[in-house]
Amino acid sequence: WLLVVIGLVATGLFVPLPGVKGFVAPIALIWPLLLWSPMGTREQQHRTDALLFSAPRPVARLLVAQWLAGALLALAVTSGVLVRFAITGQWTNVAALLVASAFVPSMALALGTWSGSANLFEVLYRMLWYVGPMNRIPALDFVGVTQPGSGTGPIVAFLLVALALAALALF
């Protein structure tokens, strides 16, 4: 698994830019799916919820730590692509990937806490990933594959959705 991540980072740095936009960035954001999917469900799944939720401010600490871990994972997997976009001055694509790095763990955390299962996130995220970035539907492109043609509207929309999902996960 880690060798594929290293390969994705290296590929993001050296593949021609259209290939980076069209394939490397979307593939990088589907690869850690099975690491994001149990977010918000591990406590119930492993029956440690009584122990974890007896600590002071358990929800805020636990969910923020899980969200940060998921966001850092997304940034690590897409780091080669982010560096490449920054070097070439494609700042809307950098912004789109940063928003995607916030959106994916927010979605995983919210759907995991609401459903108590990893399956809902896995199904909905795969569908969104396939329809948005892979089929280049601008309104559903959370990776920024259709940038700059689609403008900054989808980036702002997914940022607001990410913030809403993170807030709803806390509630």
Side-chain angles (χ1 to χ4, degrees), residues 32-53:
L33 173 69
L34 296 177
L35 295 177
W36 285 317
S37 63
M39 290 176 64
T41 65
R42 286 186 184 107
E43 302 78 33
Q44 291 176 341
Q45 183 181 18
H46 299 294
R47 298 175 192 242
T48 59
D49 50 345
L51 179 66
L52 289 172
F53 291 124

Side-chain angles (χ1 to χ4, degrees), residues 13 29 32 42 81 105 152:
L13 289 170
L29 281 173
R42 286 186 184 107
V81 177
T152 58

Side-chain angles (χ1 to χ4, degrees), residues 129-155:
W129 175 82
Y130 182 74
V131 172
M134 292 308 291
N135 284 313
R136 292 161 180 73
I137 307 289
L140 299 175
D141 177 21
F142 63 94
V143 179
V145 172
T146 58
Q147 299 296 333
S150 60
T152 58
I155 297 172

Side-chain angles (χ1 to χ4, degrees), residues 19-36:
V20 170
K21 269 187 177 182
F23 296 104
V24 178
I27 299 289
L29 281 173
I30 196 69
W31 186 247
L33 173 69
L34 296 177
L35 295 177
W36 285 317

Side-chain angles (χ1 to χ4, degrees), residues 4 18 37 62 104 128 131 171:
V4 173
S37 63
L62 185 64
V104 175
L128 179 65
V131 172
F171 290 123

